[in-house]
């Protein structure tokens, strides 16, 4: 075998060795950042300081590698808005534009990513943050996503791809069998981008419904969680999504059985969009995270209803889908400032360290020192013998203890109120965000204590177990009540049928009784009986006249018997008939 081919095959299995070999061939020094950020097969680089000449061996090593499980390329460079060409030329030496911002280099990066995705069977995560991806770059990236066989997560956070770029990416995402999580935070998307993602969900839902039907044959139960398709979509910091985009998501969420999390922070949603999402949750039982926080146009009551409704879908099996604590769109690309540490004395077993606040960076002229207000101001000490004088050691000790006790009472730590001198305590308190619109839900107070952390963990575990038991009891009660309700409804239906039958029988009996009563009333009337009797008397008198006239044979022919003439007690009729 050719030596170069043998080396290349060996280097495919070791990224850093291949990278060093390529650097040696080029005559350059390997970057320390590459080795420092290569942890357990995951490459995570901040590329703003990498020069153009150092990119070639890195991209070649990435293109032919088969062992990387994660690739993260991040750029935090922010180009000033509204700067003219002259102003940019003046600020060139003060703020140099990174090499990754060039068209050629982004194209080479996307080619390398495409090559790695097409040959690797272990890569699971791809994250490109803050890069200027053109249309041709997205086409290359789409081809790589279409050939990936193990990729599960794709993140293009803060890459201004727009709705057209998202439509290009969706062509490969909708047909992918492995991608489960996509992140399009701050990608300059509008409601049209939301419709593109909604179309992807509908396309995948049609395929998965077919798979679920095939698996449900012969009385089998389909495993919905193991089917392919998206499980989480992050759409934060896209202010032009609005209510129309929220309605597009709501249309596909109503009948979706697979999506677990949808993040819509800072998307310009109002009460109308939140209402459409809440209506979709009435029929959706699988969504466990629907994050519409940091949308100031949504009322607190509406947001509370949405969050309460989506939390009802959560259970212990869906703990992998967490609620994101993402920063705002303005602060997303800023580095975290340093903290200020104050050491408040020491004890026999250790020392107490309290880290408070954030150090503010101010512009300082070259010849001046950066002194804070606290350092520049120091009140004059009182002379001995005057009112209020305290020795400086006593004053410092009293001030320290007073502040320490006040801090413990604020944090509600009863254990530390009595034993703070003998236990090492480290407290970190961060200040709130400078932005007035920043959400106050971010946790800024962090307490670190060895024994306290263990006790808090035990308490949290105990509370979690108790809540689980209560949830199981409530679930059993709910099932029993549902069964009882079904039985009650069946009994109600039976009683309604019996009631209808008895009602019909009652109506028929009442009609018969009414007819009988009318007949009795007619027969009991004396006038009617008298008229009937008079009619019979007249008829008998007519028969007597016939007999007297010798026409008795007519009565015989009519079938009238002789006994019929004695019914009413008239003897003249009998005597007339007895004559010869």
């Amino acid at each position: 075998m050719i030596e170069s081919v043998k080396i290349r095959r060996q280097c495919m299995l070791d990224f850093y060795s291949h990278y060093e070999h390529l650097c040696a061939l080029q005559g350059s020094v390997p970057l320390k950042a590459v080795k420092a950020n290569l942890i357990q097969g995951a490459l995570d680089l901040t590329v703003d300081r990498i020069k153009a000449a150092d990119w070639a061996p890195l991209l070649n090593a990435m293109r032919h590698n088969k062992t990387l499980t994660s690739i993260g390329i991040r750029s935090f460079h922010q180009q000033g808005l509204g700067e003219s060409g002259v102003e940019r030329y003046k600020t060139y030496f003060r703020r140099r534009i990174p090499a990754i911002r060039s068209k050629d280099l982004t194209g080479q990066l996307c080619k390398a990513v495409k090559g790695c995705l097409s040959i690797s069977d272990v890569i699971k995560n791809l994250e490109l943050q803050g890069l200027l991806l053109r249309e041709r770059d997205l086409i290359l990236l789409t081809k790589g996503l279409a050939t990936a066989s193990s990729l599960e997560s794709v993140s293009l956070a803060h890459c201004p791809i727009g709705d057209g770029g998202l439509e290009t990416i969706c062509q490969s995402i909708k047909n992918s069998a492995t991608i489960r999580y996509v992140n399009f935070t701050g990608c300059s998307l509008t409601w049209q981008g939301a419709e593109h993602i909604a179309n992807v969900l509908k396309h995948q839902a049609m395929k998965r419904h077919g798979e679920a039907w095939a698996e449900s044959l012969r009385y089998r139960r389909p495993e919905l969680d193991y089917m392919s398709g998206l499980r989480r979509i992050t759409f934060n910091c896209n202010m032009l999504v609005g209510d129309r985009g929220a309605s597009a998501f709501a249309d596909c969420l109503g009948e979706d059985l697979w999506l677990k999390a949808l993040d819509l922070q800072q998307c310009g949603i109002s009460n109308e969009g939140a209402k459409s999402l809440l209506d979709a949750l009435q029929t959706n039982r699988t969504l466990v995270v629907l994050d519409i926080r940091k949308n100031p146009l949504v009322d607190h009551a509406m947001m509370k209803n949405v969050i309460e409704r989506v939390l009802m879908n959560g259970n212990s099996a869906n703990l992998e889908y967490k609620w994101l604590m993402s920063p705002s769109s303005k602060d997303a690309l800023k580095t975290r400032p340093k903290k200020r540490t104050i050491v408040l004395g020491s004890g026999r077993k250790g020392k107490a360290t309290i880290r408070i606040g954030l150090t503010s960076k101010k512009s300082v002229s070259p010849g001046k020192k950066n002194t804070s207000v606290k350092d520049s101001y120091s009140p004059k000490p009182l002379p001995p013998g005057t009112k209020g004088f305290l020795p400086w050691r006593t004053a410092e000790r009293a001030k320290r203890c007073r502040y320490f006790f006040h801090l413990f009472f604020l944090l509600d730590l009863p254990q530390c109120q009595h034993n703070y001198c003998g236990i090492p305590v480290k407290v970190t308190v961060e200040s709130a965000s400078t932005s007035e619109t920043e959400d106050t839900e971010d946790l800024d107070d962090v307490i670190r204590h060895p024994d306290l952390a263990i006790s808090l963990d035990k308490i949290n575990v105990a509370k979690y177990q108790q809540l689980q038991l209560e949830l199981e009891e409530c679930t059993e009660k709910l099932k029993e009540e549902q069964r009882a309700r079904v039985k009650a409804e069946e009994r109600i239906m039976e009683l309604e049928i019996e009631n209808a039958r008895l009602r019909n029988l009652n109506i028929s009996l009442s009609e018969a009784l009414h007819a009988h009563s009318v007949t009795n009333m007619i027969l009991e009337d004396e006038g009617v009986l008298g008229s009937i009797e008079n009619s019979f008397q007249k008829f008998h008198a007519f028969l007597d006249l016939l007999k007297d006239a010798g026409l008795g044979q007519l009565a015989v022919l009519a079938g009238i018997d002789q006994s019929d003439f004695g019914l009413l007690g008239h003897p003249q009729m009998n005597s007339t008939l007895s004559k010869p």
Side-chain angles (χ1 to χ4, degrees), residues 386-458:
T386 59
K387 185 177 180 181
F389 169 76
L390 284 176
W392 68 272
R393 296 176 185 270
T394 306
E396 289 295 329
R397 191 181 302 112
K399 180 180 178 181
R400 179 169 66 249
C401 294
R402 188 188 309 116
Y403 179 79
F404 208 62
F405 275 111
H406 179 65
L407 179 62
F408 283 139
F409 279 107
L410 286 178
L411 296 176
D412 193 13
L413 300 177
Q415 297 178 357
C416 301
Q417 293 175 7
H418 304 286
N419 302 323
Y420 72 94
C421 293
I423 300 176
V425 179
K426 188 173 183 180
V427 180
T428 303
V429 181
E430 297 178 4
S431 65
S433 175
T434 55
S435 176
E436 294 181 357
T437 60
E438 187 69 25
D439 200 339
T440 58
E441 296 177 356
D442 296 336
L443 299 178
D444 295 330
D445 299 338
V446 180
I447 304 173
R448 297 179 181 176
H449 187 287
D451 300 332
L452 183 60
I454 297 174
S455 61
L456 289 176
D457 291 339
K458 292 181 179 179

Side-chain angles (χ1 to χ4, degrees), residues 145-146 148 151 171-179 204 207 228-229:
L145 295 177
L151 190 64
Q171 297 301 322
S172 60
I173 291 178
K174 70 178 182 180
N175 296 318
S176 175
T178 58
I179 297 178
Q204 292 185 348
K207 295 175 60 178
S228 61

Side-chain angles (χ1 to χ4, degrees), residues 230-402:
L230 294 177
R231 293 296 188 273
R232 181 165 200 151
I233 299 173
T234 301
F235 231 67
N236 297 335
C237 303
N238 292 293
M239 295 299 296
L240 298 180
V241 172
D243 295 333
R244 190 168 178 180
S247 300
F249 281 120
D251 291 340
C252 62
L253 287 179
E255 299 179 355
D256 190 85
L257 302 176
W258 293 273
L259 189 66
K260 299 294 185 180
L262 177 61
D263 303 307
L264 296 175
Q265 295 185 22
Q266 293 186 0
C267 287
I269 301 174
S270 65
N271 285 333
E272 182 180 355
K275 180 65 168 58
S276 61
L277 292 172
L278 183 60
D279 294 338
L281 289 175
Q282 302 301 324
T283 56
N284 189 297
R285 294 293 182 271
T286 57
L287 195 67
V288 297
V289 174
L290 178 57
D291 196 351
I292 59 171
R293 296 174 297 172
K294 299 183 182 179
N295 287 289
L297 298 180
V298 180
D299 293 340
H300 179 73
M302 178 63 70
M303 187 177 300
K304 182 179 179 182
N305 292 334
V306 172
I307 294 177
E308 287 180 351
R309 184 64 190 85
V310 77
L311 288 178
M312 293 175 63
N313 295 340
N315 51 37
S316 59
N318 296 316
L319 295 178
E320 57 177 319
Y321 302 100
K322 305 293 183 181
W323 291 71
L324 300 181
M325 302 297 292
S326 61
S328 63
S329 58
K330 295 181 180 179
D331 300 335
L333 299 178
K334 295 182 180 179
T335 57
R336 189 174 183 179
K338 296 181 180 180
K339 301 173 184 176
R340 187 160 45 89
T341 303
I342 301 175
V343 179
L344 299 177
S346 60
R348 291 178 297 176
K349 297 183 179 180
K351 61 182 180 180
T353 303
I354 298 182
R355 185 178 296 171
I356 304 171
L358 302 176
T359 57
S360 59
K361 296 182 179 180
K362 299 180 180 180
S363 59
V364 182
S365 56
K368 296 182 180 179
K369 296 182 179 179
N370 185 12
T371 58
S372 62
V373 178
K374 183 178 178 180
D375 297 335
S376 61
Y377 173 74
S378 58
K380 295 181 179 180
L382 296 175
T386 59
K387 185 177 180 181
F389 169 76
L390 284 176
W392 68 272
R393 296 176 185 270
T394 306
E396 289 295 329
R397 191 181 302 112
K399 180 180 178 181
R400 179 169 66 249
C401 294
R402 188 188 309 116

